[in-house]
């Protein structure tokens, strides 16, 4: 056999010569190779396009322009007015803040009834079976006491569809309507051809006035929103939509500023008037 002299040598007496090849790495992947921190600092300058920047002058003065936002915005209230404020109702919260007065009931048993005996407090078994109606008063249900054997039902016989013909007697050749070849095709083997129609729109549509153009002959009313800044738009009021059920669920909350000067007053403390005694009333015939 022949032993090549180029490449890796199998015999230990013959040294293998060095070999080189062309790299298969792309330029983009070669840029991600880290060599040293010094090389990383020089990468941005190598990728620079050169002195092609247009540096603006610093002597540009201040500029002003006209705003494009609307002059006045009538924003809608975030929350509607409370129905209590609209109806001017006084909310009573006594049922919510305070509890009801405790009540007691009087018994209807007789005085010598054994239920109220003193001995029952220490010996409750003394009253056991006294008020029993007896063994004849009960009528237990036998279904709930005795065990029942399992029961099974027999369902109806299932009708065999193949036993009778599904096609009625008056069906035959020529009884089905023929499918049209124009229009939508119900069969998937036939493709539905595209259809077109003549438009019904006007050739010259009516022009709508532009809201940005000011009409000098506009019919301006003194009621409602005033477009001119010289005329003040008066406030508007409406009727509330709250119901009586909504009014019952509201509560009246008053702070110190809502009560006015009375919030600064101290709590009134009135002394009880002096009442004459029984002897003084008899003496002076009061």
């Amino acid at each position: 056999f022949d032993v090549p002299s180029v490449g890796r040598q199998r015999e230990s007496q013959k040294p293998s010569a060095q070999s080189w090849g062309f790299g298969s790495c792309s330029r983009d992947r070669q840029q991600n190779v880290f060599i040293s921190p010094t090389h990383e600092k020089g990468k941005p300058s190598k990728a620079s396009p050169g002195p092609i920047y247009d540096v603006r002058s610093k002597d540009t003065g201040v500029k002003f322009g006209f705003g494009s936002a609307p002059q006045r915005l009538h924003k809608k209230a975030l929350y509607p007015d409370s129905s209590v404020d609209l109806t001017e109702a006084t909310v009573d919260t006594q049922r919510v803040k305070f509890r009801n007065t405790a009540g007691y009931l009087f018994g209807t048993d007789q005085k010598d009834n054994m239920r109220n005996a003193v001995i029952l407090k220490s010996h409750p078994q003394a009253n056991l079976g006294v008020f029993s109606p007896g063994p004849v008063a009960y009528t237990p249900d036998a279904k709930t006491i005795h065990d029942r054997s399992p029961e099974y039902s027999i369902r109806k016989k299932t009708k065999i569809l193949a036993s009778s013909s599904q096609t009625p007697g008056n069906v035959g050749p020529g009884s089905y309507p023929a499918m049209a070849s124009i229009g939508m095709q119900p069969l998937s083997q036939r493709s539905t051809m595209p259809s077109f129609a003549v438009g019904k729109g006007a050739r010259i549509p009516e022009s709508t006035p532009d809201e940005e153009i000011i009409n000098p002959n506009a019919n301006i009313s003194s009621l409602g929103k005033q477009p001119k800044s010289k005329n003040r738009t008066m406030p508007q009021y409406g009727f509330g939509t709250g119901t009586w059920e909504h009014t019952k669920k509201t509560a009246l909350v008053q702070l110190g500023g809502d009560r006015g000067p009375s919030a600064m007053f101290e709590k009134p403390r009135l002394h009880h008037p002096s009442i004459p005694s029984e002897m003084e009333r008899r003496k002076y015939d009061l």
Side-chain angles (χ1 to χ4, degrees), residues 191-205:
S191 59
T192 302
M193 301 303 294
S195 59
F196 305 92
V198 182
K200 299 180 180 180
R203 180 176 298 179
I204 302 177

Side-chain angles (χ1 to χ4, degrees), residues 253-276:
V253 179
Q254 287 187 352
L255 302 178
D258 300 333
R259 295 188 296 173
S262 61
M264 306 300 295
F265 298 160
E266 297 181 357
K267 187 176 181 180
R269 298 180 180 275
L270 303 178
H271 299 281
H272 195 277
S274 59
I275 302 175

Side-chain angles (χ1 to χ4, degrees), residues 84-95:
V84 179
D85 299 338
L86 297 175
T87 58
E88 299 181 0
T90 302
V91 182
D92 186 10
T93 58
Q94 301 296 327
R95 299 181 180 179

Side-chain angles (χ1 to χ4, degrees), residues 78-124:
L78 184 60
Y79 300 100
D81 296 338
S82 176
S83 58
V84 179
D85 299 338
L86 297 175
T87 58
E88 299 181 0
T90 302
V91 182
D92 186 10
T93 58
Q94 301 296 327
R95 299 181 180 179
V96 182
K97 294 183 179 179
F98 306 100
R99 297 181 179 178
N100 296 332
T101 306
Y104 302 93
L105 302 176
F106 292 94
T108 58
D109 294 337
Q110 299 179 1
K111 186 178 294 184
D112 56 348
N113 196 342
M114 287 297 296
R115 295 180 180 178
N116 302 326
V118 182
I119 191 174
L120 296 179
K121 296 183 179 180
S122 59
H123 187 59

Side-chain angles (χ1 to χ4, degrees), residues 57-283:
S57 176
K58 297 182 180 180
D59 298 336
T60 304
V62 183
K63 296 181 179 180
F64 302 93
F66 294 95
S68 58
Q71 187 174 2
R72 284 175 295 275
L73 291 176
H74 296 272
K75 296 183 179 180
K76 188 178 180 181
L78 184 60
Y79 300 100
D81 296 338
S82 176
S83 58
V84 179
D85 299 338
L86 297 175
T87 58
E88 299 181 0
T90 302
V91 182
D92 186 10
T93 58
Q94 301 296 327
R95 299 181 180 179
V96 182
K97 294 183 179 179
F98 306 100
R99 297 181 179 178
N100 296 332
T101 306
Y104 302 93
L105 302 176
F106 292 94
T108 58
D109 294 337
Q110 299 179 1
K111 186 178 294 184
D112 56 348
N113 196 342
M114 287 297 296
R115 295 180 180 178
N116 302 326
V118 182
I119 191 174
L120 296 179
K121 296 183 179 180
S122 59
H123 187 59
Q125 291 79 7
N127 201 18
L128 182 62
V130 176
F131 299 97
S132 176
V136 188
Y138 299 99
T139 55
D141 189 4
K143 296 181 180 180
T144 60
I145 300 175
H146 302 287
D147 296 336
R148 300 176 58 184
S149 59
E151 298 177 357
Y152 304 95
S153 61
I154 301 175
R155 58 171 298 176
K156 297 181 179 180
K157 184 179 179 181
T158 305
K159 181 180 179 180
I160 302 175
L161 300 178
S163 61
S164 59
S165 177
Q166 302 296 322
T167 305
N170 57 352
V171 176
S175 60
Y176 294 98
M179 292 181 294
S181 59
I182 300 176
M184 185 176 180
Q185 302 297 323
L187 299 178
S188 59
Q189 295 86 352
R190 301 178 181 178
S191 59
T192 302
M193 301 303 294
S195 59
F196 305 92
V198 182
K200 299 180 180 180
R203 180 176 298 179
I204 302 177
E206 297 181 359
S207 60
T208 56
D210 193 357
E211 297 180 356
E212 298 181 356
I213 301 176
I214 300 176
N215 186 8
N217 300 325
N219 187 11
I220 301 176
S221 175
S222 60
L223 302 178
K225 182 181 177 181
Q226 301 297 323
K228 294 185 178 181
S229 59
K230 297 180 181 180
N231 300 337
R232 180 182 178 185
T233 302
M234 301 303 294
Q236 299 177 358
Y237 304 93
F239 294 95
T241 58
T243 59
W244 292 105
E245 298 296 334
H246 294 167
T247 307
K248 295 179 181 179
K249 298 179 182 179
T250 57
L252 180 62
V253 179
Q254 287 187 352
L255 302 178
D258 300 333
R259 295 188 296 173
S262 61
M264 306 300 295
F265 298 160
E266 297 181 357
K267 187 176 181 180
R269 298 180 180 275
L270 303 178
H271 299 281
H272 195 277
S274 59
I275 302 175
S277 60
E278 184 69 20
M279 296 181 62
E280 291 179 356
R281 287 191 299 169
R282 291 181 180 183
K283 181 178 180 181

